[in-house]
Amino acid sequence: MIAVTDHDTIEGALRAAEHAARWTRLQVVIGEEVSSRDGHIVALFIEKRIRPGMTAAATVHAIHDQGGLAVAVHPFWRTQRRTRSARVHGVGWLAAELEFDAIEVENATPGFYVFNQLARRLNMGLGAAELGGSDAHILDAIGRAYTEFPGKTPKALRAAIEAGTTRAARRRYRALGLMRYAAWGLNHERYIAVV
Ligand SMILES: [Zn+2]
């Protein structure tokens, strides 16, 4: 199974779920990576789009309001709170303060080793469910970080997150995948526009 969590939309996830149900045995969790004012927050098991631009607290609340689970993804990928130019990617220490259901401790973006270590350390104190997410912006990235849990269904994943029995893991990129990621970084805007 896979969770599809595009930035600020669930259209792609809905289409993936529909396609998967018709043609494959893959099960799709509808999700969204919401750009909150304080950093990115992943919503899992949602049915309606969560609007971007709210505070982290309001975003977590909106996710729970529709029965979804809120994940602090790459919480320490950040430099400072939003100024005019600097972007905030992760929610930082808000990951400990707000009612997150899980913390992403393995993010597959190349070069995130330190951010992942910090997230793991944070969660040692918190004891929230740990998640691995590929944060895939290219095909090679899918499944490079992943979440293990007892069972095979979205329902089982949800139960495992709630029970805190998930385990985050990762596997290495192939050299070609890393090269493609580097190319993606250079052509980021164009890649999104073309795809
Ligand atoms: Zn993000």
Side-chain angles (χ1 to χ4, degrees):
M1 52 165 291
I2 191 168
V4 178
T5 61
D6 288 335
H7 285 280
D8 302 322
T9 175
I10 62 167
E11 292 306 314
L14 291 173
R15 282 174 61 181
E18 206 182 292
H19 182 85
R22 190 176 304 172
W23 302 107
T24 74
R25 289 168 58 201
L26 188 69
Q27 304 202 60
V28 178
V29 172
I30 309 294
E32 176 185 340
E33 181 163 356
V34 187
S35 305
S36 87
R37 207 185 298 167
D38 303 303
H40 296 168
I41 295 171
V42 158
L44 296 175
F45 302 102
I46 54 171
E47 285 166 7
K48 284 178 296 179
R49 173 181 183 258
I50 308 279
R51 107 183 129 79
M54 297 187 282
T55 62
T59 305
V60 170
H61 194 80
I63 294 167
H64 288 159
D65 233 28
Q66 51 169 293
L69 300 181
V71 187
V73 289
H74 52 64
F76 293 108
W77 180 28
R78 62 184 324 206
T79 46
Q80 52 191 303
R81 280 189 180 273
R82 185 151 79 171
T83 60
R84 248 163 301 163
S85 54
R87 277 186 297 169
V88 175
H89 297 288
V91 297
W93 293 103
L94 285 172
E97 289 167 29
L98 302 175
E99 297 288 309
F100 282 100
D101 301 286
I103 309 290
E104 182 187 63
V105 301
E106 285 291 356
N107 180 297
T109 306
F112 269 32
Y113 181 78
V114 172
F115 301 137
N116 287 335
Q117 289 300 305
L118 287 169
R120 261 193 199 280
R121 214 168 281 177
L122 168 82
N123 201 35
M124 275 179 198
L126 274 182
E130 59 175 60
L131 291 191
S134 47
D135 203 342
H137 286 263
I138 61 167
L139 207 53
D140 300 77
I142 292 175
R144 294 292 159 196
Y146 53 95
T147 304
E148 295 178 334
F149 61 95
K152 289 182 175 174
T153 61
K155 204 174 151 193
L157 171 63
R158 187 179 180 125
I161 292 173
E162 283 165 352
T165 54
T166 51
R167 205 179 71 81
R170 67 182 300 139
R171 61 174 74 95
R172 299 168 77 92
Y173 278 93
R174 289 171 298 143
L176 190 61
L178 282 176
M179 281 163 59
R180 289 205 181 110
Y181 229 124
W184 171 79
L186 293 174
N187 294 304
H188 188 171
E189 309 298 332
R190 202 180 58 124
Y191 188 90
I192 286 175
V194 171
V195 171

